[in-house]
Amino acid sequence: MKILTNTQSIHVGGIAQSVTSFLQFLEKNDRTDISVIGIDIIKQYSPEEKIVYKRQINNQITIITQGVFCNKIREVLFAINSLKDLKKEYKNVINIFRKIILKEKPDLIVLNGTYFIPWCLYLAAKSFNIPILLHYHGIITKETETWDSHSHLLMKQMEQTFDNSRLQYIFPSKLAKAVVENQVFGHKISNSAILHNSISDHFFDINTKSRPKNIGVVNRWTAIKNPNFITALAKYNQNNKSFFNINLVTDIKTISRRDRKKLTSVSLNSGMTSFKLGNFYGEMGTIICPSIFESYGNVPQEAVASGTPALIGNNMGVAEVFRKIGLEDYIIDFTSVKDVYDKVKEVSQHRIKKNVRDAMKNELSSDMVNTQLLKIYRQTTN
């Protein structure tokens, strides 16, 4: 079986982690009956740049890195009136996908995510008689709720394009599926599966002595991740003589000057590799995840796998796993900074018990999840 999918060169976030985990699973288990064509579209914003192209082959895995000149999505949305205009704007990306599909002749096309790159892949794939599976990672309609109304409407309409009986769907949580049904498609989805995100094995090997006064936050600095809570927490901590050391891992360049001034007492860290992130979790007393909404949430489950308590909201898909393995007490309300602060003082004194880490590994190890994923792929092509 030959699988064609979109991937990313930046190995953070649900899409990159999921694809990387699956490719490593194939390599480790020597699944020679499966081949994967990964397409990494590199957005180049200057027509003067040399167009990037690279084809790397490692056994049954081929990664095609293709640069394409295009304008930034937010700028495009301000300048257009319809999805027809959006399709015209990104016709080069669509045509690249179409040519690769025509050449590679895959048995299955997997769309990772619902942003404009997988949307372009979907538009290219529609013209072929090949099974298509959409693996949800984030919900664009929710992610763009704070954008201007015109841009948000176009992004919602783009996501609604994926409402097609030809498609099979994988959702990372029951919550994600319910939100897509109720707020995006407007109807029940039958041809779907629920599959939580996997956890890399090295997180379970972390055995670092934590520092209870360390609070860790790992997220993008975007509205849906609730950055206002982090700035409020930093202020509250300063007013309490900086009882805690707050450590933030994010893309520092995306933090506005105004917010940066509110974070002077916070240790700022740029993105880390997965292995460095495991050590970071291990050194924290608590990880907090105050997101307004997340279709899943890799950070808290990685923290728990590393032995560190993680506080999450009920509006995160990973809460389903926390309930299953006995961590209901870590699902909290982030309305009150004081209440969260007091909760951190309580949970930071204790590490995650071995039996809980083992239960999480039994549920979400890379081998376990990717074996299920491969089974879904096979069912989709039959």
Side-chain angles (χ1 to χ4, degrees):
M1 177 169 62
K2 181 186 281 190
I3 302 165
L4 185 145
T5 188
N6 59 294
T7 184
Q8 294 178 201
S9 56
I10 302 173
H11 296 293
V12 295
I15 296 175
Q17 289 185 21
S18 177
V19 174
T20 301
S21 174
F22 181 65
L23 296 182
Q24 290 173 345
F25 167 78
L26 293 181
E27 290 179 326
K28 184 175 73 172
N29 292 279
D30 194 27
R31 300 304 300 255
T32 54
D33 58 323
I34 306 294
S35 62
V36 176
I37 307 295
I39 307 172
D40 182 11
I41 295 293
I42 304 294
K43 298 177 288 294
Q44 297 181 232
Y45 299 119
S46 171
E48 298 176 359
E49 289 183 68
K50 183 179 179 181
I51 295 298
V52 175
Y53 178 81
K54 186 166 55 176
R55 185 183 181 98
Q56 295 173 293
I57 301 175
N58 181 16
N59 296 325
Q60 71 270 39
I61 298 169
T62 301
I63 302 296
I64 300 171
T65 303
Q66 174 69 65
V68 58
F69 171 70
C70 61
N71 294 310
K72 295 180 179 179
I73 184 69
R74 294 297 297 271
E75 295 173 359
V76 170
L77 293 172
F78 282 128
I80 65 174
N81 295 311
S82 67
L83 281 187
K84 186 177 180 180
D85 296 333
L86 190 64
K87 181 179 178 180
K88 184 178 179 181
E89 180 70 31
Y90 289 113
K91 65 180 180 181
N92 289 343
V93 180
I94 298 168
N95 287 336
I96 286 170
F97 280 131
R98 187 176 288 120
K99 288 176 182 177
I100 296 174
I101 294 170
L102 192 61
K103 180 181 178 181
E104 299 295 340
K105 296 179 174 55
D107 301 299
L108 173 66
I109 296 173
V110 177
L111 315 172
N112 275 296
T114 54
Y115 205 41
F116 75 95
I117 293 294
W119 180 69
C120 289
L121 175 55
Y122 174 56
L123 294 181
K126 282 173 63 178
S127 58
F128 297 89
N129 187 27
I130 300 171
I132 305 172
L133 184 147
L134 170 57
H135 196 156
Y136 252 88
H137 301 276
I139 299 171
I140 293 302
T141 299
K142 297 292 290 182
E143 295 269 354
T144 60
E145 279 183 334
T146 59
W147 291 16
D148 65 279
S149 58
H150 173 73
S151 298
H152 172 61
L153 177 61
L154 285 172
M155 295 303 282
K156 181 175 182 177
Q157 290 174 344
M158 185 182 77
E159 186 168 8
Q160 288 173 329
T161 307
F162 294 106
D163 181 7
N164 190 310
S165 59
R166 269 193 66 190
L167 270 66
Q168 298 287 322
Y169 303 88
I170 296 177
F171 294 97
S173 63
K174 294 177 183 177
L175 172 67
K177 181 182 179 183
V179 169
V180 172
E181 288 177 334
N182 297 326
Q183 299 183 33
V184 185
F185 292 177
H187 62 81
K188 294 294 182 181
I189 301 169
S190 56
N191 48 334
S192 65
I194 306 296
L195 184 65
H196 301 316
N197 293 351
S198 66
I199 305 174
S200 297
D201 291 344
H202 66 267
F203 289 110
F204 296 101
D205 297 329
I206 299 296
N207 195 25
T208 309
K209 184 175 175 59
S210 68
R211 300 183 180 116
K213 288 194 175 184
N214 279 349
I215 295 177
V217 185
V218 182
N219 63 21
R220 287 179 286 121
W221 201 255
T222 56
I224 202 165
K225 302 294 186 178
N226 202 3
N228 290 339
F229 181 87
I230 306 303
T231 56
L233 179 68
K235 182 178 180 180
Y236 189 88
N237 190 47
Q238 280 186 302
N239 292 340
N240 282 269
K241 300 180 180 179
S242 296
F243 180 83
F244 287 110
N245 304 309
I246 303 176
N247 304 268
L248 172 63
V249 178
T250 192
D251 182 352
I252 297 173
K253 299 189 298 294
T254 62
I255 304 176
S256 66
R257 287 185 179 181
R258 185 180 64 179
D259 283 348
R260 191 79 68 90
K261 290 178 181 178
K262 299 175 183 178
L263 298 172
T264 53
S265 63
V266 174
S267 174
L268 302 180
N269 305 272
S270 296
M272 300 178 180
T273 66
S274 182
F275 285 93
K276 286 186 177 180
L277 204 51
N279 292 326
F280 175 83
Y281 293 141
E283 293 172 356
M284 297 298 112
T286 314
I287 296 292
I288 62 168
C289 305
S291 295
I292 294 169
F293 173 84
E294 285 204 41
S295 58
Y296 192 65
N298 288 333
V299 168
Q301 70 175 21
E302 290 171 352
V304 169
S306 304
T308 299
L311 298 179
I312 66 173
N314 192 46
N315 44 10
M316 296 180 69
V318 74
E320 295 164 20
V321 175
F322 273 43
R323 292 189 191 95
K324 192 170 184 178
I325 63 174
L327 295 180
E328 297 93 339
D329 193 45
Y330 290 173
I331 305 171
I332 65 170
D333 186 345
F334 282 88
T335 303
S336 166
V337 173
K338 179 185 181 301
D339 289 349
V340 174
Y341 201 79
D342 291 342
K343 185 67 174 179
V344 171
K345 285 184 177 180
E346 173 193 331
V347 304
S348 63
Q349 300 301 316
H350 309 283
R351 302 298 284 167
I352 299 295
K353 293 179 180 178
K354 183 180 183 302
N355 67 310
V356 175
R357 295 175 75 178
D358 289 345
M360 182 165 272
K361 188 172 185 177
N362 290 337
E363 286 284 328
L364 301 174
S365 70
S366 177
D367 281 355
M368 185 72 68
V369 172
N370 285 304
T371 297
Q372 295 177 56
L373 181 60
L374 186 55
K375 182 180 179 181
I376 294 169
Y377 286 170
R378 291 191 187 283
Q379 290 172 341
T380 305
T381 57
N382 291 335

